[in-house]
Amino acid sequence: MTKNTIKIAGAMLSLLTAFSFQEAQAQTCVQPPSCESLGYNKTETDCSGADIVVKCPTDTSKMSCLKLPSQQSVSVGAILYGDGSVSRELITNKKPIGVVFDVSNRLAVALTDAKKDGSAGTESMYWSSQTCDVEGLRNISSTTSLMGDGSAVSTGIPVVGTDGRTNTNYILAATNCGTKYAANAVNAYQTDNCTSEFCQKGQWFLPSIRDSANISRTREVIDMTLNSLSSYGATTLKLGYSESYHTSTEVDKEKIWVYDGAFLTGNKTKYRYVRPVLAF
């Protein structure tokens, strides 16, 4: 056999060996499982607003996701998001709208004050344009009367079982108060971060003295969270007589309860700020 013949035979043997090896590999190859069979059966749209999102390794357009129950994370100072979920942690794919201050009544305070037109921002306003006694609205004349009706006073802060949403509804329905600036402002409050029905315009309200007392007790924690959300436009609560807040609790036809770090009574026709509150 010539040298050239040997070389050709050797090359043919190499090709046959390589082909046989590749054929053996093909015969033993197993089809990888699909994303769907592994549980990655949702799209990015399906997982919008989820707390946990995991993408399929072989096709990142397929994913699995989980929304945690908000009850697990409800505590004072927790962040309320526009989809109704609550978390102690800042979740990057969610938009915050408030900070929890009352766990038992499930109430949160807005990230900002409200202007007269309901937009987010700072603008002082009258409670109402004229004196009036709002029909249906419970008048609380002093901390003594609060104690006398079975509620309590703790560290100088009056507590009474009046509800801010109910109070605001009475004020909005009143026909003898002229323009009801404070109630109108919170009722018209709207945040772009709201993606659910519960936080739309008409759902926010003016806190009662009970609500304001609960805000006061937890103010330090609330302000810490508000500070952490400054990139979302959040502002801390005001403090001081010249920066006081209206409440929805009436004293009499001329006065309401006012919060400025402490509680005092003040005329309805005096400029103060409003911070909307929301039930979730």
Side-chain angles (χ1 to χ4, degrees), residues 18-70:
F19 177 77
S20 298
F21 179 73
Q22 289 174 354
E23 184 179 29
Q25 274 193 320
Q27 290 174 349
T28 59
C29 182
V30 178
Q31 183 70 24
S34 66
C35 290
E36 287 78 5
S37 68
L38 293 174
Y40 300 100
N41 55 4
K42 291 183 171 60
T43 65
E44 187 171 358
T45 301
D46 296 330
C47 291
S48 177
D51 296 302
I52 301 172
V53 178
V54 181
K55 296 182 178 181
C56 179
T58 57
D59 183 354
T60 56
S61 68
K62 304 291 191 304
M63 54 194 72
S64 176
C65 52
L66 175 66
K67 183 175 181 178
L68 299 175
S70 61

Side-chain angles (χ1 to χ4, degrees), residues 216-237:
S216 177
R217 281 194 202 85
T218 58
R219 178 173 181 152
E220 185 176 345
V221 177
I222 294 169
D223 276 347
M224 286 177 62
T225 304
L226 288 171
N227 267 323
S228 72
L229 298 174
S230 60
S231 62
Y232 294 91
T235 58
T236 56
L237 296 163

Side-chain angles (χ1 to χ4, degrees), residues 97-275:
I97 61 169
V99 178
V100 175
F101 71 88
D102 184 338
V103 174
S104 60
N105 293 298
R106 295 182 67 84
L107 299 177
V109 65
L111 299 185
T112 69
D113 293 342
K115 294 182 178 181
K116 289 179 185 177
D117 62 0
S119 61
T122 298
E123 183 179 17
S124 60
M125 65 194 77
Y126 286 174
W127 194 86
S128 61
S129 61
Q130 63 189 52
T131 59
C132 61
D133 193 1
V134 176
E135 184 178 358
L137 191 62
R138 180 184 177 188
N139 288 2
I140 304 297
S141 60
S142 70
T143 56
T144 302
S145 68
L146 296 184
M147 295 179 70
D149 68 12
S151 44
V153 174
S154 174
T155 62
I157 302 171
V159 181
V160 65
T162 54
D163 174 68
R165 176 72 266 173
T166 301
N167 287 358
T168 302
N169 289 343
Y170 280 129
I171 298 166
L172 292 170
T175 58
N176 60 335
C177 295
T179 303
K180 297 153 288 191
Y181 294 106
N184 288 341
V186 293
N187 193 58
Y189 181 74
Q190 179 69 65
T191 169
D192 292 339
N193 292 344
C194 174
T195 58
S196 300
E197 189 65 30
F198 84 101
C199 53
Q200 296 293 324
K201 187 182 297 185
Q203 300 300 315
W204 299 82
F205 55 89
L206 196 62
S208 67
I209 195 171
R210 180 204 71 181
D211 303 332
S212 297
N214 287 327
I215 291 171
S216 177
R217 281 194 202 85
T218 58
R219 178 173 181 152
E220 185 176 345
V221 177
I222 294 169
D223 276 347
M224 286 177 62
T225 304
L226 288 171
N227 267 323
S228 72
L229 298 174
S230 60
S231 62
Y232 294 91
T235 58
T236 56
L237 296 163
K238 293 177 172 55
L239 182 64
Y241 181 74
S242 62
E243 295 185 324
S244 55
Y245 285 102
H246 290 298
T247 78
S248 59
T249 301
E250 200 173 46
V251 177
D252 53 36
K253 68 177 184 179
E254 294 184 350
K255 293 184 178 181
I256 55 164
W257 283 96
V258 176
Y259 173 67
D260 67 351
F263 286 93
L264 63 153
T265 61
N267 291 333
K268 294 176 180 177
T269 53
K270 182 176 175 60
Y271 286 103
R272 298 184 185 88
Y273 300 96
V274 296
R275 177 72 66 131

